[in-house]
Amino acid sequence: MWQFTSGAFLGWSLGSNDAANVFGTGVATNLVRYRTAVILIAVFVILGAALEGPKCMATLGELSKLKPELAFISALAAGLTLFIMSMLSLPVSSSQAIVGALLAVGMVNGSANYSMLIKIVLCWVLTPISGTILGIGLYLLLRWILQPLLNSMRWRTPVLRTAVILAGCYGAYSMGGNNVANVSGVYVSTGQLSTSAASLFGGIAIALGVLTYSKNVMLTVGKGIFALDAYSAFVSVLALALSSHIFTQIGVPVSGTQAIVGAIVGIGLLKDMRGISRKMIAQISLAWIGTPLVAAIACYVLMMIGSLV
Amino acid sequence: MFKSKKESSVRDLVDDHLSRTEKCLEAAQSVFVAYLAGDLLAADENATKVEKYERAADKLRREIYALLGEGAFLPIMRADIHALVGDLDDLAGLAEDFSDAIVGERPEIPPAYREVLVEIFDKTTHQFSELKAGIHQFFFAKRIDEKETRKIIHRVAQAEYEIDQIEWDLTRQIFDSNLPLANKLHLKHFLGQLTIISNKVEDVSDTLSELMVKLQA
């Protein structure tokens, strides 16, 4: 039972960090109250985890062979990576952290599945690209559809508020479906939990992080995203939700943050804001390299401490 | 569920503020006309109306500010709506200053300049009517006619330019005249108090222009 504590910690860290991606804009702009936002996220994260979560569980299980104590250590290493890098305000992704940790385990016990790693890394590269493509496509399409309503002071705020809430709920659903495997997938591969039990456990852990510790990140990130404008921010969240949902169907957990950053880059390109794009691309690149590396080192150190090397 | 009562209230209050400011301007014009006709009693009565409308507009401004502070409208527009209402309120204040200058200072206005001064005020009230239509369209139209609003903003700026030209010509006439220097300076000051109203109308239309840009973002 104690081995689940690290997964709960990872889920809590993920929830407290990633809630900002889906409702940060709405909260920072007072379109949605913080309390309402976190309740909506918690509900839709659990729903997404329960309904879509099992699709990604197998992928992480195939990355390396785990025993219960190694599952505990890899989830703990990923959780610590998430916690420390967030504290240092460095870009971080739970998917990349858990993969880094599992890879360290696989390299140590000789069970690393490199073909699966290639599939996962390919999806990481495609995540911001899909975010960019979806961001551009949705921006143009929805502007064409919504322009008559957005071009009215009578309708602008109600329409944007509704859009931000719907996109946020869908984003939370996709986040739960895609990221729950990062939290509890390791317990499925050890046989400690069934797929559905792991989905529920991970979903609740993420929801707890959202409910208890997401306010500061949500306001900070939300204001950063909102620097564009409310409509662009709504499109970014929708692109994140759609992108994560697509990768869930492929069965690969990806970074929601990188999907939304990709969408913002796309919208930035449409608006000729190349400065923002360069900075964000640099951040993604840093996360690709930094997160798995830190998680792998943390996992190796924890294995040494636990005399499992 | 998603309709905002605060925004609806702000729109109604802005509309009310526009009406009060318009009445304030009309009352100030009546003060001027009565004064030129030598009817000081009527001028005083209208000056009281100017004060009443200015106070009412000021109260509305505070109510609008409070609603904006409570989160009406998206933040990207809130500051500009705040500025627009502030400028609109200044406009009522300038009309009151002009009215006070007439009843308080009783400037000596030679007959040769009266027609031009009345023309400036007529142009200013017409300019304000244009602005009022633009602001009303911005806040209440189901779909803002951007081209029409831009035309209104252009016409407001054009009126201000024309009033500037008239002001310059009149200033030259005043200082080329044989009036005592004290009278010249007093007239120049009075003329400035009148034309500043038109400048402020243009300031409000500039803020409306900024809001139009943000709406397109």
Side-chain angles (χ1 to χ4, degrees), chain A residues 3 9 12 20-21 28 33-34 40 47 55-56 67 71 96 99 103 152-153 163 187 218 235 260 265 281 294 304:
Chain A
Q3 284 125 340
F9 172 61
W12 178 84
N21 289 337
R33 286 197 188 99
Y34 172 73
L40 285 173
L47 207 61
K55 292 172 185 167
C56 293
K67 288 185 277 184
Q96 287 156 15
V99 166
L103 196 63
S152 157
M153 287 300 278
Y187 305 114
M218 197 181 280
V235 171
I260 200 168
V265 167
I281 288 165
V294 172
M304 279 174 58

Side-chain angles (χ1 to χ4, degrees), chain A residues 171-221:
Chain A
Y173 178 85
S174 295
M175 182 171 102
N178 188 271
N179 282 179
V180 73
N182 297 334
V183 175
S184 52
V186 288
Y187 305 114
V188 176
S189 56
T190 58
Q192 290 169 283
L193 287 175
S194 68
T195 307
S196 50
S199 297
L200 201 60
F201 164 71
I204 290 169
I206 297 171
L208 280 174
V210 174
L211 289 168
T212 58
Y213 201 64
S214 61
K215 193 168 189 175
N216 287 341
V217 184
M218 197 181 280
L219 290 175
T220 310
V221 174

Side-chain angles (χ1 to χ4, degrees), chain A residues 6 14 21 37 59 119 130 162-163 189 206 227 265 271 275 298 305 309:
Chain A
S6 61
L14 193 157
N21 289 337
T59 307
K119 179 186 172 184
S130 71
T162 309
S189 56
I206 297 171
V265 167
K271 294 186 161 194
I305 294 168
V309 178

